[in-house]
Amino acid sequence: NETPSTSVNTITNLTLFNVNISDLTGISGFTALEVFDCRQNQLTTIDVSQNTLLTHLYPGLNQLTSLDVSNNPNSTNITSLDTSTNTALVDLDVIANQLTTLDVSNNTALENFSCSDNQLTSLDVSTNTALILLVCKNNNITSIDVSTLTDLEDLRCHINQLTTLDVSNNTALTRLYCASNQLTTLDISNNTALTYLHMGGNDYLAAYGAYNNLITSLDVSNNTSLETLYCGFNQLTTLDVSMLTDLTY
């Protein structure tokens, strides 16, 4: 239904919860909109690029495959997200919000998952066995079990509170970022495909005011594909890289 154009540009709060709509044509006219709830409908796309004053957007329980909020600088700080019914999700990116919990146990098709720069203290990815990319940097995660992620190629869990990290089952890993945790050991003997290892030390981390790890020894004898190795700001006393003939940095 159309709303008279004389009023839509003054509406600040709009709720369209569970009204069985599949099209949001005309929402661009709500230029004063700050709170928009369109949960539990049949929407496949949501265009809020003209609603630049949005502070709260609730798009859950639809049929979205992507959501662009690049024109909504005030609405990106979501505190909760329900993806339990979105079982076909392949890509999920919820970086730079205020999430303290995130349940992705039903999203078993996920291949690329980024939840960086939130306030997560735990993350369960045990059911997400299709993951190829997992980026969970800059949270407060104390432990993470990646043992079931045998297809994982890129793991970025730096700037957290990890005390242990077991990547022995992740034999497909080519890139591993684990700097700025509280690791005392790191066993990468099974990760023979690694080309990039970042376990401590560079200017990028310093920009976060981040501390590094406490690793006392590192055996890279099996990692002959390594091209880039960051291992600064640990407690290494020796390091043998003589077998890393592809090492360039």
Side-chain angles (χ1 to χ4, degrees):
N1 294 331
E2 293 189 3
T3 305
S5 58
T6 54
S7 62
V8 297
N9 62 3
T10 63
I11 294 174
T12 59
N13 193 318
L14 179 63
T15 299
L16 299 174
F17 177 77
N18 194 19
V19 290
N20 202 34
I21 57 173
S22 58
D23 190 350
L24 280 179
T25 300
I27 196 64
S28 59
F30 291 74
T31 53
L33 201 60
E34 297 177 4
V35 180
F36 181 32
D37 185 349
C38 56
R39 289 173 294 166
Q40 201 163 331
N41 284 289
Q42 306 299 319
L43 300 171
T44 56
T45 61
I46 296 178
D47 183 357
V48 287
S49 58
Q50 303 303 308
N51 311 102
T52 55
L53 299 183
L54 267 181
T55 59
H56 294 76
L57 174 62
Y58 303 94
L61 299 174
N62 279 285
Q63 299 174 28
L64 303 177
T65 56
S66 63
L67 180 62
D68 184 357
V69 290
S70 57
N71 279 9
N72 312 98
N74 298 320
S75 68
T76 57
N77 289 324
I78 58 174
T79 57
S80 64
L81 180 66
D82 183 357
T83 60
S84 58
T85 60
N86 309 102
T87 54
L89 267 182
V90 174
D91 300 293
L92 177 59
D93 188 336
V94 289
I95 66 170
N97 284 288
Q98 296 179 14
L99 296 170
T100 56
T101 61
L102 184 58
D103 184 353
V104 289
S105 58
N106 283 4
N107 309 112
T108 55
L110 272 182
E111 295 179 3
N112 302 292
F113 176 32
S114 298
C115 57
S116 300
D117 304 293
N118 279 283
Q119 299 173 24
L120 301 174
T121 56
S122 63
L123 184 64
D124 184 355
V125 288
S126 58
T127 62
N128 309 106
T129 55
L131 276 177
I132 296 171
L133 169 68
L134 173 57
V135 185
C136 56
K137 75 171 178 68
N138 200 30
N139 280 283
N140 297 303
I141 298 169
T142 56
S143 65
I144 186 166
D145 182 357
V146 292
S147 61
T148 60
L149 311 184
T150 54
D151 292 332
L152 194 64
E153 297 177 5
D154 194 331
L155 173 59
R156 308 186 187 194
C157 55
H158 48 304
I159 318 176
N160 276 289
Q161 306 289 327
L162 300 175
T163 56
T164 61
L165 180 63
D166 184 353
V167 289
S168 58
N169 283 2
N170 311 106
T171 55
L173 266 186
T174 60
R175 300 176 74 86
L176 173 58
Y177 300 68
C178 59
S180 290
N181 280 286
Q182 299 178 26
L183 302 176
T184 56
T185 61
L186 182 65
D187 183 354
I188 52 172
S189 58
N190 285 0
N191 310 106
T192 56
L194 269 183
T195 60
Y196 187 105
L197 174 59
H198 194 327
M199 52 175 267
N202 68 356
D203 292 340
Y204 163 74
L205 293 174
Y208 279 86
Y211 52 85
N212 283 287
N213 289 306
L214 307 167
I215 296 171
T216 57
S217 65
L218 181 67
D219 183 356
V220 291
S221 58
N222 285 359
N223 310 101
T224 54
S225 296
L226 270 178
E227 298 173 2
T228 301
L229 171 60
Y230 287 92
C231 58
F233 295 92
N234 278 281
Q235 297 183 15
L236 301 175
T237 56
T238 61
L239 181 63
D240 183 0
V241 294
S242 59
M243 70 293 295
L244 305 185
T245 54
D246 292 333
L247 196 65
T248 58
Y249 193 91

